[in-house]
Amino acid sequence: MRHSFLLDENMIYHAVRGVDRHNNQDDTAARLIQTIVTVCHYFVIHDIVRVRYIRIFEKLKRERAPHLPPAFLLKQILMRADKRIFQYDDLPTLPAECNVPRKDEYLVQAALLSLPLLVTADEPLYKSIKDNPELGIEVLWPHEALE
């Protein structure tokens, strides 16, 4: 079965740096992206998310990449037409009772458009989505997404 994925920005950092959310050596994010690319899965990327990804790639391109070079990730995530779908729709409004961290509202709004599997290592974001099942968003830790 083909799945769509929306990656939180931290997945890009973790994949390039080869670390987990505690900065411990961990290649899970890198393996997840490679799995999405090699299996029939794809990335769903709203224009706001795309702009944020590009900013991250610009920051990371000067770093030594122990796992996945930023240029490789940029190509795999943003440039391969067979591996991504860009979205340009207006972002929906979040329900008033939804307590998503303000910094992550755009990501949850983007996920509401097509309900991809949202992968994050951000505990407050993960918990807020789990605490709001009415959103209909499936949120996964990186290791869960690999299973």
Side-chain angles (χ1 to χ4, degrees):
M1 180 177 200
R2 194 173 159 147
H3 294 288
S4 60
F5 289 86
L6 173 57
L7 303 181
D8 188 5
E9 303 166 26
N10 54 35
M11 293 292 88
I12 308 296
Y13 285 111
H14 295 175
V16 170
R17 294 175 176 156
V19 297
D20 64 12
R21 64 188 172 127
H22 303 292
N23 279 330
N24 297 319
Q25 290 297 308
D26 185 338
D27 67 349
T28 303
R31 286 187 299 120
L32 173 62
I33 292 171
Q34 289 174 319
T35 299
I36 293 169
V37 169
T38 56
V39 181
C40 292
H41 305 311
Y42 59 97
F43 301 99
V44 175
I45 306 167
H46 189 276
D47 195 48
I48 289 174
V49 176
R50 182 188 62 81
V51 169
R52 288 177 181 253
Y53 284 178
I54 290 170
R55 284 186 198 145
I56 292 167
F57 289 128
E58 285 299 315
K59 274 173 73 173
L60 291 174
K61 71 180 179 184
R62 289 177 222 92
E63 285 190 22
R64 185 180 160 273
H67 284 280
L68 291 179
F72 172 81
L73 283 177
L74 176 68
K75 179 181 176 191
Q76 298 304 313
I77 295 174
L78 296 179
M79 300 173 119
R80 283 191 57 185
D82 64 325
K83 288 293 165 186
R84 54 98 175 122
I85 294 176
F86 287 138
Q87 295 178 319
Y88 299 97
D89 300 337
D90 291 337
L91 293 176
T93 304
L94 292 175
E97 64 279 356
C98 181
N99 59 348
V100 171
R102 186 160 175 75
K103 69 177 184 59
D104 297 314
E105 286 179 354
Y106 77 96
L107 193 65
V108 174
Q109 290 170 306
L112 287 172
L113 290 173
S114 61
L115 300 176
L117 299 171
L118 176 58
V119 183
T120 186
D122 181 331
E123 190 167 357
L125 174 60
Y126 182 91
K127 185 172 175 1
S128 69
I129 293 172
K130 286 291 190 183
D131 289 346
N132 289 281
E134 69 279 1
L135 292 173
I137 298 171
E138 185 173 354
V139 62
L140 302 170
W141 295 113
H143 69 274
E144 292 175 321
L146 270 173
E147 293 174 2

